[in-house]
Amino acid sequence: MNNKLRGYLAMLGVLAAWGSSYSISKVAMYYMSPFVLTMYRFGFGGLLLYLIGRGLVINRRYVINALLNGALFVVFLNLAIKYSSNPALVSVLVYTQPIFVLILSIALYGEKPTALQVVGIIIAFSGLLIAVGVYSFDIGDAIAILGGFIWALGTHYYRRNLVHEDLIRLNASMAVISALIAAPTLIINPHMELTLNAVAWGIIVALVAQVMGFLLWFLGVKDLGPVTASSISILVPASAYLFALLILGKVPTEMEVIGSAITLTGVLISQLRA
């Protein structure tokens, strides 16, 4: 199988894994705090990857990768989901990531944006204002957008410094290091119900969002590059709305649908080369 085809298949898996992860994380947080769920993702996910991988690597590059793509991103993501009424909207806000990937490419590498890219950025952020509402913008929305920025930083860092690393070892190391970085946040809220349901949902989130999602994501970035992979990932919010309806029974508002569609259209335009 050639690398391009493998990359596209990996990104299809990302759409399913991460599209569903918002709703299953919301369910898991009925039983535990966002910080406990973060430890489930990294603790159980890291253990599983360690068992099937070839050891761990701990060095400066891996720690920075874990901080950006792991600990910070997932803590912000869980907090945003916790305080949202519809986790699918959080997915739209997080998936401003391709916009930030583009902006960072301009800032870090001196790339000159095309007219279409500038138009796309303006459209995307206009859609965000419609989706969340100028007057209803809250801390959860801000955290989600910040998470998208952190993810964009992590995507560039991975592409420049770790793209040739063994994926299983990289993700196992990222999860273990992220668990250590995020562990102090348990002081904020260590609540968790001691039930089988709680444990089951924590493990499901770890398997779907951490193990499957990140392995497929990094494989997609490796084979397709960060801009192409990020462009495909804009379809995750559409998947997230579908899973929110199926799992949570959440029907999006008219403004959420219109604003989200405008945002994703802007993101798509921003990725066009012409």
Side-chain angles (χ1 to χ4, degrees):
M1 183 185 299
N2 65 52
N3 288 349
K4 287 289 186 181
L5 177 58
R6 185 178 66 178
Y8 284 116
L9 290 175
M11 290 309 300
L12 285 176
V14 168
L15 298 184
W18 281 349
S20 62
S21 69
Y22 293 87
S23 292
I24 62 177
S25 293
K26 185 75 170 182
V27 174
M29 282 185 278
Y30 295 157
Y31 304 98
M32 65 192 75
S33 75
F35 309 106
V36 173
L37 183 60
T38 296
M39 297 306 295
Y40 255 101
R41 281 188 60 160
F42 292 135
F44 187 82
L47 175 61
L48 183 59
L49 289 168
Y50 172 75
L51 291 176
I52 64 177
R54 294 180 288 274
L56 300 174
V57 176
I58 299 179
N59 57 36
R60 181 178 60 84
R61 292 181 303 138
Y62 274 60
V63 169
I64 295 174
N65 180 65
L67 178 65
L68 296 175
N69 285 306
L72 279 178
F73 173 66
V74 173
V75 167
F76 287 145
L77 178 63
N78 285 342
L79 285 171
I81 293 172
K82 173 68 175 179
Y83 293 111
S84 72
S85 59
N86 188 344
L89 179 58
V90 171
S91 73
V92 176
L93 303 179
V94 167
Y95 276 88
T96 54
Q97 182 255 13
I99 294 291
F100 289 122
V101 166
L102 173 59
I103 292 173
L104 288 171
S105 294
I106 296 169
L108 296 176
Y109 312 129
E111 295 184 7
K112 294 183 178 180
T114 65
L116 276 177
Q117 289 174 329
V118 173
V119 170
I121 291 172
I122 294 172
I123 291 174
F125 282 105
S126 298
L128 286 182
L129 291 178
I130 296 172
V132 302
V134 176
Y135 299 105
S136 61
F137 190 83
D138 58 27
I139 187 64
D141 299 329
I143 292 172
I145 294 174
L146 181 57
F149 176 73
I150 294 297
W151 183 16
L153 280 176
T155 299
H156 274 291
Y157 187 83
Y158 165 77
R159 180 66 175 175
R160 294 196 65 186
N161 297 280
L162 296 164
V163 71
H164 298 299
E165 299 293 310
D166 178 87
L167 279 173
I168 296 179
R169 183 185 302 168
L170 173 66
N171 279 272
S173 302
M174 182 180 74
V176 171
I177 296 169
S178 295
L180 295 174
I181 294 173
T185 64
L186 289 173
I187 298 174
I188 301 173
N189 187 349
H191 168 72
M192 175 183 166
E193 292 184 12
L194 299 179
T195 64
L196 288 178
N197 275 345
V199 174
W201 279 106
I203 291 174
I204 290 171
V205 170
L207 288 175
V208 173
Q210 191 64 37
V211 178
M212 291 177 56
F214 273 97
L215 278 178
L216 292 171
W217 166 250
F218 283 126
L219 181 59
V221 172
K222 178 178 181 179
D223 288 343
L224 303 176
V227 173
T228 300
S230 297
S231 300
I232 296 172
S233 74
I234 66 173
L235 295 175
V236 168
S239 175
Y241 274 117
L242 175 61
F243 280 106
L245 179 62
L246 295 175
I247 297 173
L248 302 173
K250 290 290 186 180
V251 179
T253 67
E254 183 178 342
M255 287 297 99
E256 286 176 348
V257 171
I258 293 173
S260 297
I262 292 173
T263 296
L264 297 180
T265 298
V267 172
L268 179 60
I269 292 173
S270 75
Q271 305 305 299
L272 298 177
R273 300 295 186 179

